[in-house]
């Protein structure tokens, strides 16, 4: 199911000619394919009124595909510094795995921890020296995997609030939402890259001043690890409040 997201991302890595819309549609296609293969799609968001709409298969599947596409692009957006995206995904997979373990979903817990271990292995060849990169293909595939673990966790376990997934993934989700808002305010194209992401500002405004004598690779890696570690608190909080929607909403805010 993750192949459309991965292959279109890989094509962009190799040829630099795959448009933003094409890649977004490919990641959404991965969401549709995952639904087709598993018959799982988000049937609730724990929002009054909206959940009624989500009982209709059409709306459920379309929203699920949109959410998968959004998460895939969110991971791609934060993939700008050594270790940032891979550490964020490792922590998120562990967070989802621990929730699955708490609610007795052993199979999903095992899959989540296997994914976490796989990404953790990649982390050590990406950080601190950047010997290997995710690229668009890797980032989209990890984003898809993260989104689908979230879908399965919510759908297979009614006691888990849908907002717990939002808490765990709040950092990349906030980044992509604010990027859309920022580009709209600046009248830029939504898919146009810029250097105003939070991690870019941290590098330019602070690391370049504080670590002026350090090599740019060192500054890059420090930003990556600091940004990645920001996901620890959300993952920890989500494991404490995963069954309480109100607390999850407050934590997200």
């Amino acid at each position: 199911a993750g192949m459309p997201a991965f292959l279109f991302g890989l094509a962009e890595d190799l040829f630099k000619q795959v448009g933003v819309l094409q890649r977004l549609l490919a990641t959404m296609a991965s969401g549709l394919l995952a639904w087709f293969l598993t018959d799982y799609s988000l049937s609730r968001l724990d929002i009054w009124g909206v959940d009624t709409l989500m009982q209709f298969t059409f709306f459920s599947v379309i929203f699920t595909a949109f959410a998968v596409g959004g998460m895939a692009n969110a991971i791609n957006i934060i993939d700008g510094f050594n270790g940032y995206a891979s550490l964020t995904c490792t922590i998120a997979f562990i967070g989802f795995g621990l929730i699955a373990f708490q609610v007795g979903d052993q199979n999903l817990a095992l899959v989540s921890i296997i994914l976490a271990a796989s990404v953790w292995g990649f982390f050590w060849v990406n950080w601190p020296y950047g010997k290997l990169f995710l690229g668009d293909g890797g980032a989209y595939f990890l984003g898809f995997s993260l989104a689908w673990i979230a879908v399965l966790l919510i759908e297979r376990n009614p006691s888990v609030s849908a907002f717990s997934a939002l808490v765990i993934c709040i950092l990349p989700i906030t980044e992509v939402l604010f990027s859309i808002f920022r580009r709209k305010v600046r009248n830029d194209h939504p898919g146009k890259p810029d250097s105003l992401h939070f991690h870019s500002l941290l590098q330019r405004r602070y690391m370049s001043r504080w670590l002026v004598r350090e090599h740019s690779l060192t500054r890059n890696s420090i930003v990556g690890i600091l940004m990645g570690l920001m996901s620890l608190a959300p993952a920890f909080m989500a494991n404490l409040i995963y069954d309480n929607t109100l607390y999850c909403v407050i934590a997200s805010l």
Side-chain angles (χ1 to χ4, degrees):
M3 283 299 99
F6 172 71
L7 292 175
F8 272 71
L10 182 61
E12 170 63 11
D13 291 328
L14 296 176
F15 306 113
K16 304 297 182 185
Q17 293 182 344
V18 183
V20 174
L21 180 59
Q22 292 172 296
R23 283 176 277 153
L24 176 62
L25 291 175
T27 54
M28 293 178 67
S30 280
L32 289 173
L33 185 55
W35 161 73
F36 178 77
L37 293 172
T38 67
D39 204 31
Y40 279 113
S41 62
L42 289 169
S43 61
R44 62 183 175 89
L45 298 178
D46 293 334
I47 302 174
W48 184 84
V50 176
D51 283 359
T52 303
L53 202 61
M54 296 294 286
Q55 298 307 306
F56 294 94
T57 302
F58 175 80
F59 291 108
S60 173
V61 171
I62 293 299
F63 181 87
T64 301
F66 180 79
V68 169
M71 178 52 65
N73 281 272
I75 298 302
N76 191 48
I77 281 180
I78 68 169
D79 183 30
F81 288 84
N82 292 343
Y84 181 13
S86 52
L87 182 54
T88 298
C89 289
T90 298
I91 293 170
F93 282 129
I94 292 173
F96 283 129
L98 290 176
I99 293 177
F101 179 77
Q102 289 188 73
V103 297
D105 195 339
Q106 306 297 337
N107 288 335
L108 189 60
L110 181 61
V111 171
S112 298
I113 297 304
I114 288 172
L115 285 167
S118 301
V119 184
W120 186 237
F122 165 83
F123 171 84
W124 288 107
V125 288
N126 175 248
W127 187 90
Y129 300 116
K131 293 181 178 179
L132 192 66
F133 297 102
L134 282 175
D136 283 8
Y140 284 138
F141 182 77
L142 281 188
F144 161 77
S145 302
L146 203 56
W148 203 251
I149 288 291
V151 170
L152 293 175
L153 180 64
I154 294 166
E155 283 302 300
R156 288 158 60 106
N157 304 282
S159 64
V160 177
S161 170
F163 279 89
S164 65
L166 180 62
V167 177
I168 289 180
C169 300
I170 194 66
L171 182 59
I173 289 173
T174 301
E175 187 66 66
V176 74
L177 291 177
F178 192 74
S179 295
I180 294 171
F181 170 76
R182 178 178 69 248
R183 289 163 186 169
K184 182 175 177 60
V185 169
R186 295 165 60 89
N187 292 319
D188 291 333
H189 189 277
K192 178 185 176 183
D194 60 34
S195 58
L196 295 174
H197 299 295
F198 185 56
H199 48 270
S200 303
L201 298 177
L202 179 62
Q203 156 82 336
R204 193 164 64 250
R205 294 183 179 181
Y206 297 101
M207 292 302 154
S208 296
R209 294 209 314 259
W210 295 344
L211 303 173
V212 65
R213 295 183 180 180
E214 298 295 334
H215 191 276
S216 59
L217 179 61
T218 301
R219 294 197 296 268
N220 178 305
S221 297
I222 290 174
V223 172
I225 199 74
L226 289 176
M227 292 298 303
L229 289 173
M230 287 179 65
S231 292
L232 275 175
F236 177 75
M237 292 170 65
N239 269 269
L240 297 178
I241 59 174
Y242 66 86
D243 56 350
N244 190 307
T245 297
L246 177 60
Y247 288 170
C248 286
V249 171
I250 294 172
S252 299
L253 293 173

